[in-house]
């Protein structure tokens, strides 16, 4: 079910679900190029996601995601792309490649992050996880939206 135009594989899902981890494993196995949308945004802005959120807010960050999505659609072929948790909202997602939703429970994601050897860093780089009640509500709100955008779950 790969998008025949680009042959990109795009991983979506809630923050901390393991999109980057799974993407790196697939990159290693397939020898494809790999990209991470958050890394692209940090490079473009020359600052960390957390800094972007703190100084310019989430709305500005979402504009950067849209800009990144347009660039990916136009310039990237045959790659494995991991995305930030909210990237699935970009209008051209299906034009970038085959969308794979990595699904987990909220508790499973928290456990995965908390048991990671760099747990503090993993949690710190996700500003929306600072308030767990709010993060749970966001997770609940997004679950069906991720499924609706996915070619593969």
């Amino acid at each position: 079910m790969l998008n025949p135009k680009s042959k990109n594989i795009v991983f979506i899902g809630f923050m901390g679900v393991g999109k980057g981890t799974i993407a790196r494993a697939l990159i290693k196995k397939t020898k494809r190029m790999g990209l991470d949308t958050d890394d692209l945004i940090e490079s473009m802005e020359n600052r960390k996601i957390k800094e972007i959120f703190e100084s310019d807010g989430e709305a500005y960050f979402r504009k950067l995601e849209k800009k990144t999505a347009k660039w990916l659609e136009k310039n990237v072929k045959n790659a494995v792309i991991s995305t930030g948790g909210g990237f699935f909202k970009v209008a051209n997602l299906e034009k970038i490649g085959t969308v794979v939703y990595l699904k987990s429970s909220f508790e499973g994601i928290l456990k995965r992050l908390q048991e990671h050897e760099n747990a503090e860093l993993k949690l710190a780089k996700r500003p929306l996880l600072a308030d767990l009640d709010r993060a749970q509500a966001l997770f609940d709100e997004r679950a069906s939206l991720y499924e609706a955008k996915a070619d593969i779950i």
Side-chain angles (χ1 to χ4, degrees):
M1 195 163 189
L2 281 180
N3 179 328
K5 183 180 166 199
S6 70
K7 293 189 178 153
N8 291 325
I9 298 170
V10 183
F11 288 107
I12 65 168
F14 201 69
M15 63 188 106
V17 75
K19 298 177 297 282
T21 301
I22 300 297
R24 283 187 295 279
L26 186 59
I27 290 161
K28 190 174 184 180
K29 190 166 187 79
T30 63
K31 308 287 190 242
R32 289 173 177 239
M33 178 175 69
L35 296 167
D36 180 287
T37 60
D38 284 350
D39 289 348
L40 289 170
I41 290 168
E42 286 181 346
S43 293
M44 184 171 41
E45 286 286 299
N46 196 27
R47 55 191 173 142
K48 298 287 181 196
I49 301 297
K50 186 175 181 181
E51 295 172 46
I52 296 169
F53 266 78
E54 288 171 354
S55 64
D56 296 302
E58 186 175 354
Y60 178 74
F61 177 75
R62 300 300 171 206
K63 285 181 186 173
L64 295 173
E65 285 184 321
K66 288 178 187 174
K67 182 178 179 181
T68 302
K70 288 177 185 170
W71 181 83
L72 288 168
E73 178 188 351
K74 195 175 197 179
N75 298 293
V76 178
K77 306 286 181 249
N78 205 31
V80 176
I81 303 166
S82 58
T83 67
F87 192 85
F88 75 99
K89 293 181 181 180
V90 298
N92 64 328
L93 183 65
E94 72 285 345
K95 293 177 183 173
I96 298 171
T98 299
V99 180
V100 179
Y101 168 39
L102 296 183
K103 186 175 180 176
S104 174
S105 67
F106 186 71
E107 296 76 21
I109 292 169
L110 285 182
K111 183 177 184 208
R112 179 182 178 278
L113 291 173
Q114 291 164 346
E115 291 179 354
H116 194 278
E117 61 184 275
N118 294 321
E120 201 171 302
L121 177 66
K122 289 279 187 189
L123 290 165
K125 73 181 264 190
R126 292 166 172 85
L128 294 178
L129 278 179
D131 178 341
L132 288 182
D133 290 334
R134 191 167 154 233
Q136 173 77 60
L138 186 61
F139 175 88
D140 294 341
E141 173 189 314
R142 287 183 176 176
S144 63
L145 301 174
Y146 287 132
E147 289 190 16
K149 288 279 191 161
D151 295 309
I152 300 167
I153 299 173

